[in-house]
Amino acid sequence: MASLSCALYLPTKCSSIRENGSINNTPQATSALSVQRPSVLDVAYAVAFNPATSLTAEQIRQSVPTEKQLTDPFRQGLIVEGGVRYRQTVVIRSYEVGPDKTATSETILNLLQETALNHVWLSGLLGDGFGATHGMMRNNLIWVVTRMHVLLDEYPIWGEVVEIDTWVGASGKNGMRRDWLLRSRFSGQVFCRATRHEHTWVMMNQQTRRLSKMPEEVRDEISPWFTETRAVQEEALEKIDKLDDNAKYVNSNLKPKWNDLDMNHHVNNVKYVRWMLETIPDEFMEDHRLSSIVLQYRRECDSSDTVQSICEPDEDSLPRDKNIRILTGFSLAPEILDGGGLLGTFDKWPTRYTHLLQIKGEKKDEEIVRGKTTWMRKKKKSLNSSY
């Protein structure tokens, strides 16, 4: 039987005896005989193959904390607000912005997901799953998100420093709510408020795919982190109607790619949003920005599914331009409006849309997620601004 041995390299300190007999413990300059610091991978694999430790190479490389930490210098994160709220500072990078040099909606959603995981990470509760705690791993449970609401008041620009706060709270007996607040690090301007609320988080058995009650050991793990603060106040949940193939915009035969899958081998929820928004014409997207999105998740989607994206505009949401109200009561020919440059001030686009992603099946279609989006016209650039 073949055996694998691996040497464990340890940093050493060179000593020399001075003429007066004292010992010099100062590290010596690098030479052919000096021992250099080993790479992280060397240490990781050495520990991984050491029978005396239970840590794997992956755990060593990730440096997952097993106890609550107050700061994370590598992720620019820290625990604030009495030890329950997580705050992370990020810089909007060049590949996270669109043609108008502002962060894309996908960037915002990715930041929400990343900071939520980092919150669990710094709490010392992260197990071996995608945000699952140690108790959840022992019970073979994963989180299932059923509803999410994101409000986008403004968008950060390229290079801007953003602070993201996130925290959790109870939602019924078996659910959990998570909230976020994104704001400018320097001005304090709020960019985004988001919540997963009212039974939005539930648990599912990873093997049976059935919903599960929250075990007491899991509740004991996460309940010390609960707070009643809410980022989005909602009195009633808005109903999202189901669409069919007769909707105005339909994009069929969408196939998930390998890079669309998350660590649970399901399509990432940010990809869902991209599929939804891609059904809206580019002409509309050029002049409008997303200001609100509500998502109601129905089931998961994997790489073998064929997806259809359906979108229906709300014709009642056609805006009425304030500059044209003076024409109320008058009947002007289109040529007069066009000749005076007034026709372009009318916005022919609705500002609210209903969405549906569904899996196309041989016998029946299965819903993945329902959505509702609200939009605002983009601000016109000033002559003195490049944004």
Side-chain angles (χ1 to χ4, degrees), residues 10-62:
L10 296 174
T12 62
K13 193 190 304 182
C14 297
S15 301
S16 61
I17 301 178
R18 298 175 177 174
E19 291 183 359
N20 61 4
S22 63
I23 297 178
N24 178 19
N25 287 320
T26 305
Q28 302 300 306
T30 303
S31 66
L33 297 178
S34 64
V35 180
Q36 299 183 9
R37 183 182 298 275
S39 69
V40 174
L41 284 179
D42 289 337
V43 176
Y45 288 113
V47 174
F49 291 115
N50 185 349
T53 180
S54 60
L55 296 177
T56 66
E58 183 178 277
Q59 290 172 323
I60 294 296
R61 293 175 64 180
Q62 291 178 315

Side-chain angles (χ1 to χ4, degrees), residues 323-341:
N323 297 325
I324 305 302
R325 289 181 180 176
I326 59 174
L327 300 178
T328 302
F330 293 87
S331 177
L332 298 179
E335 303 85 44
I336 299 177
L337 291 174
D338 191 29

Side-chain angles (χ1 to χ4, degrees), residues 35 56 101 150 158 173 187 206 250 258 264 318 324 353 381:
V35 180
T56 66
K101 298 182 181 179
V150 181
W158 171 39
K173 294 182 178 180
S187 70
Q206 198 168 13
V250 179
W258 175 256
N264 287 327
L318 279 167
I324 305 302
Y353 293 80
K381 298 179 182 179

Side-chain angles (χ1 to χ4, degrees), residues 241-344:
D241 297 328
K242 182 180 180 179
L243 302 178
D244 55 33
D245 294 352
N246 296 320
K248 186 171 184 177
Y249 305 116
V250 179
N251 192 1
S252 301
N253 298 319
L254 299 171
K255 290 292 295 182
K257 303 295 191 299
W258 175 256
N259 289 336
D260 297 330
L261 305 182
D262 59 25
M263 288 184 278
N264 287 327
H265 293 271
H266 302 142
V267 174
N268 189 290
N269 68 87
V270 178
K271 182 65 177 182
Y272 293 157
V273 175
R274 176 185 293 183
W275 280 337
M276 285 181 171
L277 302 188
E278 284 178 346
T279 59
I280 301 177
D282 290 341
E283 185 181 358
F284 173 83
M285 302 288 282
E286 290 175 1
D287 296 324
H288 296 79
R289 62 177 179 84
L290 183 66
S291 61
S292 172
I293 183 169
V294 179
L295 301 169
Q296 291 181 352
Y297 297 95
R298 302 287 175 156
R299 60 153 294 169
E300 56 208 13
C301 173
D302 58 40
S303 58
S304 63
D305 294 323
T306 300
V307 179
Q308 183 181 54
S309 180
I310 303 174
C311 175
E312 181 67 31
D314 181 359
E315 299 297 341
D316 293 335
S317 65
L318 279 167
R320 190 176 184 182
D321 198 305
K322 296 179 181 179
N323 297 325
I324 305 302
R325 289 181 180 176
I326 59 174
L327 300 178
T328 302
F330 293 87
S331 177
L332 298 179
E335 303 85 44
I336 299 177
L337 291 174
D338 191 29
L342 297 177
L343 193 59

Side-chain angles (χ1 to χ4, degrees), residues 162-206:
V162 178
E163 272 187 355
I164 307 172
D165 282 17
T166 184
W167 61 95
V168 294
S171 180
K173 294 182 178 180
N174 296 304
M176 186 179 78
R177 186 194 76 252
R178 177 173 286 278
D179 293 79
W180 291 267
L181 180 68
L182 280 70
R183 59 177 175 264
S184 169
R185 174 67 174 81
F186 299 113
S187 70
Q189 178 185 15
V190 174
F191 296 125
C192 171
R193 293 166 291 137
T195 187
R196 288 166 170 165
H197 55 89
E198 296 304 331
H199 304 285
T200 298
W201 288 78
V202 292
M203 292 185 181
M204 182 175 69
N205 187 287
Q206 198 168 13

Side-chain angles (χ1 to χ4, degrees), residues 91-135:
V91 179
I92 302 301
R93 299 172 175 84
S94 60
Y95 54 83
E96 296 174 324
V97 301
D100 56 359
K101 298 182 181 179
T102 63
T104 64
S105 55
E106 288 185 42
T107 294
I108 300 297
L109 293 173
N110 279 320
L111 288 174
L112 298 184
Q113 179 173 283
E114 181 66 14
T115 50
L117 289 173
N118 289 344
H119 186 196
V120 182
W121 183 291
L122 205 60
S123 70
L125 297 177
L126 187 67
D128 193 28
F130 196 34
T133 67
H134 301 289

